[in-house]
Amino acid sequence: MFDFLIHGFGVALTPLNLMLAFAGALLGTLFGALPGIGPINGIAILMPLAYSLGLPAESALILLAGIYTGAEYGGRISSILLNVPGDAGAVMTALDGNPLARKGLAGPALGLSAVSSFVGATLSIIGLTLFAPLLASFAVNFGPAEYFALMIFAFSSLSVMMGKDPIKTLIGAVLGVMLATVGVDAGTGVMRFTGGMPELYDGIDFVVLVIGMFAISEILLMLEQQGSDGGRLAPVGRVLVKMKEVLFCKGAILRSSLFGFIIGVLPGTGASVASAVSYTTEKRLSDREGTFGEGDMRGLAAPEAANNASAVGSFVPMLTLGIPGSGTTAILLGALMLYNIDPGPMLFSEQPRVVGGLIASLYIGNLMLLLLNLPLAGVFARVLTMPRWLLVPGIALLSFVGVYQLHSDLMAIFLMLAVGIMGYVLRKFGFSLAPIVLGFVLGGLMEQNLRRALAMSGGDYGVLFGSGLAIGLWCAAIAVVVVPLAFSSWRRLTISAAR
C-alpha cells in the first residue's frame, strides 16, 4: 500500500502535475465561490479543454480533482459573506457562517472553515488510501451479474438519498438511462432513438451532455436574474483563526469528518447530504445553549469538515467499483472513459499511475488549498463582485470552445444547446440534474453487464441471482427503498395513535 502511495507521489510531484494541481485548486476555489457555478460546472467546462490539450490521463484527472476539492473550499465564501451558498454542499454552512459575519467575525469564520475543510479532507484522503485498495481487491470477485445488481443498488440509493423529492430524482435517473440508449445498439445494430440523424448513430457524447445540461442551463438561469451582484460583502478582516477556536470545535470537526467520509462512500449521496447529517447530529450533541443558527463556531465547522470529507469519500466507489459517489464524480468517471480507461477494481493494477497520482495529488492539493484560502480569503471574496455581464459570456465562451475543439462539428454545438434548454426546463420544474448524469453513466454500464451476464448463461435470467453476493446486493437494493418507507409509515401511525 505504501509502495503504491510512494509511486503516486512520484507521479504527482512532477513539475507539470504540480502546476496542474495548483491550477485546479485555484480555479476550483474561484468556481466554488461564485454562486451557481460549483464543481460540476467547473469540471464540465474544463474537461474537454484538458482532453484537447493532449494532457495524459493522470494529469487531466489531477486537474479536475483539484477543481472538485477546491470548489468545496470555495463554496463557503459566498455562504459566509453573502448568505448565498456557492453550491449545494455549502447550504448548511450559511446557517452559522453568515450570522458570524454579521457579528463582525467574517475573517475568523473564513479561517475556521478553511481549517475544518483541511482536516475533514485530510482524514478522508487517509481513509481513501487505506480502504480503496482493500475494496478493490474484494471487488475483483464481481462478475457481470454482480455488477448489474450493484447498479440496481446504486439506483435505489440514488432515489432515496439524493434530493428532496425522491420521485423527481428517480425520473431524472430514468431520463439519464434513456439518453444513454440513444444510438446504434452495439449488440444488434438496431437504431435507437436517432430520429434518422446520422450524427446520433454514435449516441450522445458525454461532454456535450454535461456542458449542455449544467453550463448552458446555468447561463439561461443567470440571464433571468436581475442585477449584477449578489449583495453587499461583509468586511473580512482577520482571517487567521486562533488555536483556542479550533480546539473548541475539535469534536465537531472529527465527528463530522467521519460522517462525511462514510456518507461520501455511499453512491448517490454527496456533500449536501453529508453536511446536513453532520450539522443536525452536532446540533443534537452540542447545542445545549441554543446558539446553533445564531453564529456558533461548531455549527460552521461541522458542515465544512463533512462536505470536504464527503467529496474525497466519493472517489472510493468511483475508483474501486466504477460507480460515482456523487454527481461530480460521475463527470470524473466520464473523463476516465474519454481516455478509454475502464474504472473498477482492475484500475489499481492496470493503471497505477492514474490512481496513485490522483490519490497523492489529493494530499498535495489539500495542503495547497489551505495555504491559498487562509491568506487570500479576502481576494477570493472580491470575486463575488464580478458583474454578470462579464461572467455569463465567459462561461458561454469556454463551453462553446470546449465542445467545438473536441468535435469540430456544428451539430455537437446544436445538440449541446438543445440539451441545455432541456436542462433549463427541468430545473425550472424543480428537477436536480445530477441524477440525470448519474443515470446516463450507470445506464450504459448496467446494459453492458446485463448483456454479458445473459450471454454467459445462454439467456437464463436466473444468473442474475446465481451467487450469494448478487443476492446480497439485491436484498440491499430492496432494503434501501423499503426500510425508509416502512419507517415513515410507522412514524405516521405512531403520531396518529398519540393524538
Side-chain angles (χ1 to χ4, degrees):
M1 189 182 298
F2 289 106
D3 289 343
F4 173 80
L5 193 59
I6 290 169
H7 177 70
F9 274 106
V11 174
L13 289 173
T14 60
L16 173 63
N17 290 336
L18 278 175
M19 182 183 70
L20 290 172
F22 178 79
L26 180 62
L27 290 172
T29 304
L30 294 174
F31 285 138
L34 291 168
I37 306 300
I40 290 184
N41 284 317
I43 292 174
I45 291 168
L46 290 183
M47 179 173 61
L49 295 178
Y51 182 76
S52 301
L53 289 172
L55 292 177
E58 62 272 13
S59 300
L61 208 59
I62 286 171
L63 172 66
L64 299 178
I67 292 172
Y68 183 19
T69 53
E72 297 298 333
Y73 271 75
R76 79 197 199 286
I77 297 175
S78 57
S79 289
I80 293 171
L81 299 181
L82 292 177
N83 201 27
V84 179
D87 55 51
V91 171
M92 306 307 291
T93 301
L95 296 181
D96 282 280
N98 189 249
L100 284 168
R102 292 200 301 268
K103 292 178 180 178
L105 297 172
L110 288 170
L112 177 64
S113 61
V115 172
S116 302
S117 299
F118 174 77
V119 173
T122 300
L123 293 177
S124 193
I125 297 168
I126 293 171
L128 171 65
T129 307
L130 295 175
F131 296 116
L134 296 176
L135 183 58
S137 63
F138 170 73
V140 170
N141 300 317
F142 280 35
E146 288 77 16
Y147 264 113
F148 179 76
L150 184 64
M151 302 300 165
I152 297 295
F153 170 70
F155 276 115
S156 301
S157 302
L158 180 69
S159 64
V160 173
M161 296 179 184
M162 180 177 280
K164 296 179 180 179
D165 191 334
I167 300 299
K168 287 184 177 179
T169 301
L170 189 59
I171 291 172
V174 171
L175 180 59
V177 174
M178 292 173 64
L179 292 174
T181 62
V182 173
V184 178
D185 186 337
T188 63
V190 173
M191 304 291 179
R192 302 190 298 191
F193 311 115
T194 60
M197 299 172 63
E199 293 86 357
L200 291 178
Y201 287 174
D202 291 331
I204 298 174
D205 184 76
F206 180 78
V207 173
V208 172
L209 176 84
V210 168
I211 291 184
M213 194 68 71
F214 290 97
I216 300 302
S217 67
E218 188 64 41
I219 289 171
L220 295 174
L221 287 174
M222 284 183 175
L223 292 174
E224 273 191 340
Q225 300 166 5
Q226 299 297 320
S228 60
D229 56 58
R232 186 172 178 273
L233 287 178
V236 174
R238 169 180 69 88
V239 176
L240 292 177
V241 65
K242 296 177 181 178
M243 183 56 69
K244 67 177 183 179
E245 294 169 336
V246 176
L247 293 177
F248 175 66
C249 301
K250 66 180 185 301
I253 293 172
L254 295 174
R255 282 189 293 269
S256 299
S257 300
L258 178 62
F259 283 132
F261 178 71
I262 294 172
I263 292 171
V265 170
L266 299 174
T269 49
S272 56
V273 176
S275 59
V277 169
S278 66
Y279 183 87
T280 53
T281 303
E282 200 58 38
K283 185 174 182 179
R284 290 194 193 100
L285 292 174
S286 306
D287 190 19
R288 297 181 180 87
E289 300 85 13
T291 54
F292 272 56
E294 298 178 4
D296 193 304
M297 288 280 191
R298 295 165 297 183
L300 170 64
E304 277 303 300
N307 65 32
N308 283 270
S310 172
V312 176
S314 63
F315 282 98
V316 175
M318 184 194 87
L319 295 174
T320 59
L321 302 174
I323 293 179
S326 64
T328 310
T329 48
I331 300 177
L332 291 173
L333 197 66
L336 285 174
M337 293 176 178
L338 275 180
Y339 285 91
N340 294 318
I341 296 174
D342 293 325
M346 300 305 295
L347 189 64
F348 283 78
S349 56
E350 294 177 354
Q351 299 288 344
R353 284 184 60 84
V354 173
V355 182
L358 170 63
I359 294 176
S361 75
L362 291 174
Y363 285 100
I364 297 168
N366 196 38
L367 181 59
M368 288 179 175
L369 282 165
L370 181 67
L371 297 177
L372 276 172
N373 277 268
L374 282 179
L376 299 180
V379 177
F380 288 129
R382 302 306 302 171
V383 176
L384 298 175
T385 62
M386 182 184 294
R388 193 165 286 119
W389 60 262
L390 182 62
L391 182 61
V392 170
I395 297 172
L397 178 65
L398 288 171
S399 301
F400 279 81
V401 169
V403 169
Y404 189 79
Q405 197 171 17
L406 198 61
H407 293 279
S408 301
D409 182 11
L410 281 177
M411 182 61 191
I413 298 292
F414 294 136
L415 185 58
M416 176 189 72
L417 292 173
V419 171
I421 293 170
M422 181 180 72
Y424 167 76
V425 172
L426 288 171
R427 290 175 75 171
K428 294 296 288 183
F429 280 96
F431 284 83
S432 172
L433 301 183
I436 299 175
V437 177
L438 288 165
F440 185 85
V441 172
L442 293 177
L445 296 172
M446 186 168 67
E447 182 183 15
Q448 291 173 18
N449 284 289
L450 177 61
R451 286 181 180 277
R452 288 172 185 166
L454 294 177
M456 291 169 61
S457 66
D460 181 11
Y461 283 89
V463 71
L464 300 178
F465 311 94
S467 69
L469 189 56
I471 293 172
L473 288 168
W474 280 104
C475 291
I478 294 170
V480 163
V481 175
V482 171
V483 170
L485 292 175
F487 179 76
S488 178
S489 300
W490 176 79
R491 190 175 179 181
R492 283 198 299 269
L493 289 172
T494 304
I495 292 172
S496 300
R499 289 176 180 173

